[in-house]
Amino acid sequence: MSQFNAQDWITRLFLRLKGRGYLLGVDEYQAALQAVEAGYAEDEAALVELVQILWCHSLLQQDQLVTIWQDLQGETQKPKALPKNLENKTEPPPLPPKPIEGIKPLQPDPEPIAEKIEIPPQPEVASLPVQAPFAPIEREGLLPLQNYFPLSRRSMVYGWRFLRRPVADGFKNVLDIPATIQSVTDQGYYLAPVYRRQQRNQARLVLLIDQNGSMMPFHRFARDLVETAREESPLQKENVQVFYFHNVPASHIYQDLYLTSPVPIKEMLGQCDNETSVLIVSDAGAARGYRQQERIQTTTRFLLQLQKQTHLIAWLNPMRRSRWVGSSAEILSYLVPMFQMDRLGFSEAIDVIRGVAKPSVPGDED
Amino acid sequence: MTKAAKTLKFEGKDLRQRPTGAHKDAPQEPEPYIVGDRLKTAVNLAIALRRPLLLEGDPGCGKTCLAKAVAFELGLPFFPWNIQSISKAQDGQYVYDALGRLHDVQIQKGEKASRRDPSDPKAYCEMGALGKAFEIKDRPSVVLIDEIDKAELDFPNDLLTVLDKPWKFQVKETGAWVAADPQYIPIVFITSNKEKGNLPDAFLRRCLYHFVEFPKDSEELKRIITRHYEIENLQRQADDKMTPPQEDLQKASIERFLSVRNEGGLVKKPGTSEFLDWLKALQTFAAKPYSAEKLVGKDEKENKLPYPELLLKVQQDWRKFKPAT
């Protein structure tokens, strides 16, 4: 290895990692090139170490980098039989490969197919395959699973921060320096410091959370929402109420997440006034693509009742907007502002329930 | 890359005395610290690229000491900043004592002399760790931001604006600007233990990252022991020197400690500092040093552990071992 072109490798790694969702910008790229110039990447091992220190931000990422590096090396050492396919490879597949046989030749990974299938694939539509789908696990690493964080805990805490209705009704113990100085200049002598009352957040929040069934995969996020609202938000603890329901908020909702202690829905509605923010978390049938008349009717009835109490209502849907189409979620999204559960959607939902945003037009493009 | 960055290189030397020409704010005492190759590279990259080095790792594995060790070896001024839950990013730049000034005005009205002159707004401004570092113009300084995740959620983001170009900030009360010499931008170490989840993305992106691991093999632990006693004795009077534990006790304690740490199924694993304390207790707490033979022989068989209060800090862990005497 007389002439080891580190800069070239840095560029390739940068592109590859960027595609994998690493947190990198042009500054970081330049920093790496600077380090290469300063002699921090004289051989391959040093280069990997440099990139691990500079571009990885957890032990997990540092481990993954080794795999990615080996991949990248493997690709260049291969004879260039299929240059087009190699080009495709820089973009890692965002989803695990689809199990349908007919699609296989389109996959960017040429060599395992060449081993497995000798007959060229039939152009006509084949019946569904019985064999287990081919899944190139080693290439995928842990990333697709790791990346499933539509809404991180941190963004939740950030979001809740904006839900404020400060009222100065706490203890009168906050020193007001400008007012004190003002009073000294007014009177010509100093008498006493000026104190203000502590401000307290009087915003009230009702969280309505769909539990079980199609919401099962999202329990973790629902739990985080509840925990952050209660513990890590500026909201007063007694002003956060959480209720659970299954599929549809019917005549009763529940106080616990196991749905064992019911509360009449009237009682919940009675506690809402026009300053109560209500956030509903449910897939509204979008997860399984349901569109049941009964479900829509019951939910509509509930929403109309709720809208008589407060207009600060938003709906957080853990399914992507594109999946709402054709399901009951689409219909409900015309009744109440519905947002998909990611960072943007959550902050928009918060804007709605704190009453600063007009509900956006439903059915927007993704 | 700045001129200073090219010449400065941290090598992890076993220095006993301050290097010649050390700054007056550089640490006075050497820091017993053993640096691995990888950590050395990380430190030198941080110096070369002038990006903050984020250190994560188990508690008690030497995250905090590293900054001091670097400052000592290079003879650079060292400004630690211990973060508390009420710390604000501005505290690292400066703190302005407006109340003190008001107080002094009143005192002067009563015709007594005040300690500071209230007509001079500069007298009431005290620089924080970063402020002090920015003010040093003849060499870079080392700033340690310890346990960054103790602070409020926005803290790291607020800090970012100071820890980046153009490396300056304004003291609002006096209108003066404090700027670092572009040749001597401070070297920043940040420690975190992920108490409150990940740090914000923008912040992570700027930082270099190193995970400080517990020493893997007994050889490294042994080097740590030797170095530790050496440094400790340097700081003691001649009649108060400590004798390092006998070879067999060192060996036995390392062996036992590693087995407890790695195979004991502990909830909270003890770190290097706990180990050193434990070893000191084994050596000096009783009239005679603890028997090395017993430590790895009888005790291990009966699942007993001497001085468990130094190693086990959680109730569940405590139950796993019986105290030995």
Side-chain angles (χ1 to χ4, degrees):
Chain A
M1 199 167 300
S2 57
Q3 205 46 358
F4 170 62
N5 192 347
Q7 294 197 342
D8 183 39
W9 280 112
I10 288 281
T11 314
R12 302 181 57 163
L13 264 173
F14 180 76
L15 291 173
R16 173 66 61 98
L17 294 181
K18 196 91 186 96
R20 293 257 178 144
Y22 279 51
L23 306 166
L24 300 173
V26 179
D27 274 359
E28 280 65 42
Y29 175 63
Q30 283 175 336
L33 290 184
Q34 259 184 31
V36 168
E37 262 173 47
Y40 279 96
E42 273 160 355
D43 54 20
E44 292 186 13
L47 178 84
V48 172
E49 199 175 282
L50 164 74
V51 173
Q52 281 182 332
I53 292 170
L54 199 56
W55 289 349
C56 299
H57 298 105
S58 66
L59 269 189
L60 189 84
Q61 282 190 339
Q62 293 191 336
D63 286 346
Q64 277 164 359
L65 184 93
V66 178
T67 327
I68 293 172
W69 168 255
Q70 282 164 355
D71 266 11
L72 210 57
Q73 272 192 318
E75 278 164 26
T76 43
Q77 278 160 11
K78 234 174 270 166
K80 290 182 178 162
L82 293 161
K84 262 188 187 171
N85 279 328
L86 280 172
E87 275 297 304
N88 286 344
K89 268 189 171 178
T90 31
E91 284 282 303
L95 285 171
K98 300 196 173 101
I100 303 162
E101 192 104 272
I103 296 179
K104 269 191 172 176
L106 287 178
Q107 278 173 15
D109 210 342
E111 83 287 15
I113 299 156
E115 284 165 18
K116 277 201 170 175
I117 308 163
E118 279 151 33
I119 324 153
Q122 302 287 313
E124 66 258 26
V125 180
S127 59
L128 282 171
V130 188
Q131 70 178 89
F134 162 69
I137 293 170
E138 13 154 27
R139 210 163 271 282
E140 289 294 315
L142 289 160
L143 276 164
L145 276 176
Q146 282 292 322
N147 272 353
Y148 190 70
F149 265 104
L151 185 59
S152 72
R153 220 181 142 99
R154 195 175 183 95
S155 342
M156 290 181 196
V157 180
Y158 265 119
W160 291 131
R161 248 181 199 208
F162 292 94
L163 200 58
R164 273 185 307 217
R165 207 177 290 281
V167 178
D169 66 345
F171 294 114
K172 202 172 176 178
N173 63 355
V174 182
L175 177 66
D176 191 339
I177 296 177
T180 308
I181 295 173
Q182 186 63 45
S183 86
V184 174
T185 37
D186 285 353
Q187 297 163 345
Y189 53 87
Y190 171 76
L191 205 59
V194 178
Y195 286 102
R196 274 184 292 123
R197 287 196 178 277
Q198 268 184 7
Q199 288 199 332
R200 291 203 312 158
N201 187 7
Q202 293 291 20
R204 281 189 301 278
L205 173 72
V206 174
L207 271 173
L208 285 168
I209 290 170
D210 189 356
Q211 196 73 6
N212 298 344
S214 54
M215 284 296 286
M216 208 67 104
F218 310 110
H219 276 182
R220 190 224 142 100
F221 300 106
R223 198 178 60 221
D224 275 357
L225 264 182
V226 173
E227 277 177 15
T228 49
R230 279 199 178 134
E231 310 290 340
E232 292 176 55
S233 73
L235 295 156
Q236 304 282 323
K237 229 176 195 176
E238 66 271 15
N239 287 345
V240 181
Q241 282 186 302
V242 185
F243 297 102
Y244 299 89
F245 60 92
H246 180 51
N247 283 344
V248 182
S251 63
H252 284 75
I253 47 180
Y254 301 87
Q255 280 180 312
D256 63 323
L257 76 172
Y258 305 108
L259 312 182
T260 53
S261 52
V263 184
I265 205 148
K266 287 226 171 70
E267 197 173 296
M268 189 279 281
L269 288 171
Q271 289 169 7
C272 295
D273 60 16
N274 60 356
E275 289 193 341
T276 308
S277 310
V278 181
L279 186 65
I280 305 168
V281 184
S282 166
D283 67 313
R288 289 170 181 166
Y290 288 154
R291 185 185 188 136
Q292 290 165 334
Q293 201 61 32
E294 202 185 336
R295 185 167 170 168
I296 298 171
Q297 275 172 357
T298 324
T299 315
T300 310
R301 210 176 303 130
F302 165 73
L303 286 175
L304 290 177
Q305 274 181 310
L306 189 61
Q307 277 166 348
K308 281 183 196 162
Q309 307 290 332
T310 173
H311 278 280
L312 306 175
I313 309 170
W315 191 305
L316 213 51
N317 196 323
M319 296 307 294
R320 294 163 61 120
R321 203 175 271 273
S322 53
R323 293 281 301 272
W324 304 353
V325 181
S327 74
S328 37
E330 191 185 5
I331 298 172
L332 290 172
S333 70
Y334 286 95
L335 276 174
V336 57
M338 192 182 279
F339 304 95
Q340 65 182 36
M341 194 158 135
D342 52 20
R343 210 154 76 182
L344 194 68
F346 184 63
S347 69
E348 281 180 52
I350 294 282
D351 278 352
V352 169
I353 61 173
R354 73 190 181 118
V356 296
K358 285 264 172 274
S360 62
V361 186
D364 277 357
E365 284 303 292
D366 228 3
Chain B
M1 207 171 290
T2 58
K3 199 171 66 198
K6 275 182 192 150
T7 48
L8 279 179
K9 194 136 199 161
F10 174 65
E11 282 163 20
K13 289 182 252 177
D14 286 357
L15 288 187
R16 313 244 160 105
Q17 270 155 13
R18 294 177 91 195
T20 44
H23 192 270
K24 68 177 170 48
D25 285 327
Q28 299 291 336
E29 309 290 344
E31 188 70 29
Y33 204 91
I34 305 278
V35 195
D37 283 341
R38 197 172 167 132
L39 183 54
K40 226 179 281 172
T41 315
V43 170
N44 283 323
L45 267 174
I47 296 174
L49 301 174
R50 282 306 140 83
R51 286 177 168 244
L53 175 59
L54 173 66
L55 297 162
E56 279 184 0
D58 300 324
C61 288
K63 296 193 289 289
T64 308
C65 312
L66 174 70
K68 202 174 160 198
V70 172
F72 181 81
E73 185 184 309
L74 302 177
L76 300 178
F78 175 58
F79 302 114
W81 178 18
N82 295 313
I83 304 299
Q84 298 171 338
S85 57
I86 50 164
S87 294
K88 292 203 178 69
Q90 210 200 34
D91 300 349
Q93 302 166 20
Y94 70 94
V95 180
Y96 197 81
D97 187 10
L99 260 192
R101 195 172 167 202
L102 187 62
H103 174 253
D104 286 351
V105 170
Q106 299 307 317
I107 282 189
Q108 286 200 341
K109 274 191 187 165
E111 277 150 28
K112 278 182 206 159
S114 61
R115 199 159 52 84
R116 292 174 285 191
D117 176 17
S119 63
D120 175 21
K122 289 198 185 83
Y124 296 87
C125 179
E126 195 177 328
M127 285 295 154
L130 283 167
K132 283 182 198 155
F134 280 22
E135 281 184 332
I136 286 181
K137 307 283 183 194
D138 61 339
R139 62 186 88 195
S141 34
V142 176
V143 176
L144 167 69
I145 302 175
D146 202 13
E147 303 204 42
I148 190 168
D149 36 14
K150 266 196 202 158
E152 262 285 289
L153 206 63
D154 275 331
F155 180 85
N157 285 333
D158 295 349
L159 204 57
L160 259 191
T161 49
V162 200
L163 293 181
D164 203 348
K165 280 172 218 151
W167 298 95
K168 62 176 179 182
F169 62 84
Q170 188 180 23
V171 180
K172 274 188 231 131
E173 284 80 357
T174 61
W177 283 89
V178 179
D181 188 325
Q183 286 293 321
Y184 304 114
I185 287 161
I187 304 163
V188 181
F189 293 88
I190 299 168
T191 73
S192 148
N193 47 16
K194 282 206 172 174
E195 235 169 52
K196 288 187 189 156
N198 280 329
L199 292 162
D201 290 356
F203 186 79
L204 282 181
R205 205 173 65 202
R206 253 204 80 65
C207 291
L208 307 182
Y209 178 86
H210 183 84
F211 191 90
V212 182
E213 274 181 89
F214 184 79
K216 279 199 195 75
D217 51 7
S218 44
E219 273 311 303
E220 210 175 327
L221 268 177
K222 210 161 167 191
R223 274 172 60 208
I224 292 177
I225 298 175
T226 322
R227 178 107 175 105
H228 199 82
Y229 274 91
E230 209 176 293
I231 300 282
E232 177 115 16
N233 277 336
L234 271 183
Q235 294 159 10
R236 283 168 177 255
Q237 301 296 330
D239 54 348
D240 190 28
K241 297 278 184 208
M242 302 205 321
T243 38
Q246 292 292 314
E247 191 73 5
D248 59 339
L249 182 60
Q250 279 193 24
K251 207 165 154 247
S253 63
I254 290 174
E255 192 184 312
R256 189 71 212 281
F257 181 80
L258 286 178
S259 87
V260 168
R261 190 186 142 88
N262 298 335
E263 289 143 40
L266 296 185
V267 179
K268 194 193 162 304
K269 291 185 173 179
T272 327
S273 58
E274 274 108 328
F275 170 68
L276 288 168
D277 287 345
W278 185 61
L279 183 61
K280 206 182 273 176
L282 288 176
Q283 165 81 355
T284 56
F285 192 66
K288 265 197 295 181
Y290 201 83
S291 147
E293 233 169 89
K294 192 165 168 243
L295 189 63
V296 281
K298 192 156 161 273
D299 279 357
E300 183 144 29
K301 255 183 230 124
E302 294 173 9
N303 209 19
K304 282 183 180 170
L305 196 64
Y307 310 116
E309 39 292 81
L310 290 171
L311 297 184
L312 312 173
K313 308 283 173 77
V314 190
Q315 201 185 5
Q316 287 109 298
D317 293 344
W318 188 264
R319 288 202 201 111
K320 285 179 190 130
F321 297 94
K322 282 174 263 174
T325 43

